[in-house]
């Protein structure tokens, strides 16, 4: 399972690097669901959830 976790983490990191943070934050502010944000940005719902948690830590 370690290999799968490394692959998943690497994929999520690549996806996160490719998105516009300000666009992501605006979507969160508008109240879009994690699924809607993931579909619009082309990333996984898991990545959206992780980013949302990180933003909550900073706020």
């Amino acid at each position: 399972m370690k290999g799968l976790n490394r692959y998943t983490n690497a994929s999520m990191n690549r996806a996160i690097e490719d998105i516009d943070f300000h666009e992501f934050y605006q979507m969160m502010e508008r109240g879009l669901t994690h699924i809607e944000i993931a579909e619009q940005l082309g990333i996984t719902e898991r990545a959206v959830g992780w980013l949302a948690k990180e933003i909550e830590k900073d706020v």
Side-chain angles (χ1 to χ4, degrees):
M1 285 307 244
K2 286 184 181 181
L4 180 59
N5 287 337
R6 281 194 300 268
Y7 172 78
T8 302
N9 289 340
S11 295
M12 186 166 41
N13 288 338
R14 273 196 307 276
I16 291 169
E17 290 173 1
D18 293 338
I19 68 165
D20 179 355
F21 174 77
H22 296 290
E23 183 180 6
F24 174 82
Y25 191 77
Q26 288 174 349
M27 289 178 176
M28 293 288 293
E29 289 289 309
R30 289 195 317 251
L32 275 79
T33 66
H34 289 186
I35 293 171
E36 292 169 327
I37 294 170
E39 288 174 355
Q40 289 188 24
L41 295 178
I43 61 176
T44 65
E45 186 179 354
R46 181 178 175 199
V48 172
W50 183 82
L51 282 171
K53 284 181 187 176
E54 290 299 312
I55 288 173
E56 288 175 11
K57 288 180 187 177
D58 290 339
V59 174

